[in-house]
Amino acid sequence: MIVRLAHVCIESDDLAATESFYGYLGIDRKFEFRNKQNELIGMYLDFGNDTFFEIIKVKEPRKEGIIRHFAIEVENVEAVRKTLLGKGVEVSEKELGVDHTWMVTCHDPNGIFIEFHEYTDNSLQKTGGSCEIDYQP
């Protein structure tokens, strides 16, 4: 059922410094998020093997717990949804994200937000590019 860890998302008030740091390690930008004002407000860094690190711009990162969520790539998000619902877990409806990836979400027992991703042929995680989202740091 599980394919791999899809991505981990962290907050940053300095996207350039964060991208530079991971660039030192050979981890480069796969795609970016821009708001309606065309401001860079986030990006996916490519760890290889379809695993990513998402960096999202905030005005001030939290002092603790700056990981916002993590995502797990799955073969079939609807099957995952049905399995979790069958166990009494509250799970979102299946939706196609602005990155062209099917997704369902839930929280683990510790309150950690988890996304389950099913990539499509058009998923930006595979094709690269830029997507516009309605977000302000």
Side-chain angles (χ1 to χ4, degrees), residues 48-127:
N49 298 315
D50 294 331
T51 300
F52 304 92
F53 208 40
E54 179 181 2
I55 315 299
I56 193 77
K57 184 177 181 179
V58 295
K59 290 181 181 179
E60 185 176 327
R62 298 175 208 165
K63 301 301 178 207
E64 295 180 344
I66 61 171
I67 295 176
R68 189 174 280 213
H69 67 267
F70 71 91
I72 299 170
E73 182 185 356
V74 299
E75 295 172 344
N76 183 318
V77 292
E78 192 57 43
V80 169
R81 184 175 187 278
K82 287 179 182 176
T83 297
L84 292 172
L85 286 171
K87 300 293 184 183
V89 177
E90 188 175 324
V91 184
S92 71
E93 295 292 328
K94 177 181 172 181
E95 65 179 76
L96 187 65
V98 295
D99 57 358
H100 309 289
T101 297
W102 288 108
M103 177 175 69
V104 297
T105 63
C106 69
H107 290 86
D108 81 355
N110 302 299
I112 297 172
F113 187 69
I114 303 170
E115 297 176 350
F116 295 93
H117 282 195
E118 179 184 336
Y119 295 142
T120 67
D121 290 341
N122 295 322
S123 291
L124 290 175
Q125 291 87 340
K126 293 189 173 287
T127 65

Side-chain angles (χ1 to χ4, degrees), residues 18-73:
T18 303
E19 183 176 23
S20 291
F21 173 82
Y22 288 100
Y24 301 151
L25 305 170
I27 301 168
D28 298 317
R29 187 187 305 185
K30 179 69 175 191
F31 72 92
E32 63 193 29
F33 296 105
R34 293 191 173 270
N35 61 20
K36 293 184 186 300
Q37 293 74 38
N38 200 35
E39 297 169 307
L40 179 66
I41 50 89
M43 67 190 72
Y44 261 43
L45 302 180
D46 190 352
F47 273 68
N49 298 315
D50 294 331
T51 300
F52 304 92
F53 208 40
E54 179 181 2
I55 315 299
I56 193 77
K57 184 177 181 179
V58 295
K59 290 181 181 179
E60 185 176 327
R62 298 175 208 165
K63 301 301 178 207
E64 295 180 344
I66 61 171
I67 295 176
R68 189 174 280 213
H69 67 267
F70 71 91
I72 299 170
E73 182 185 356

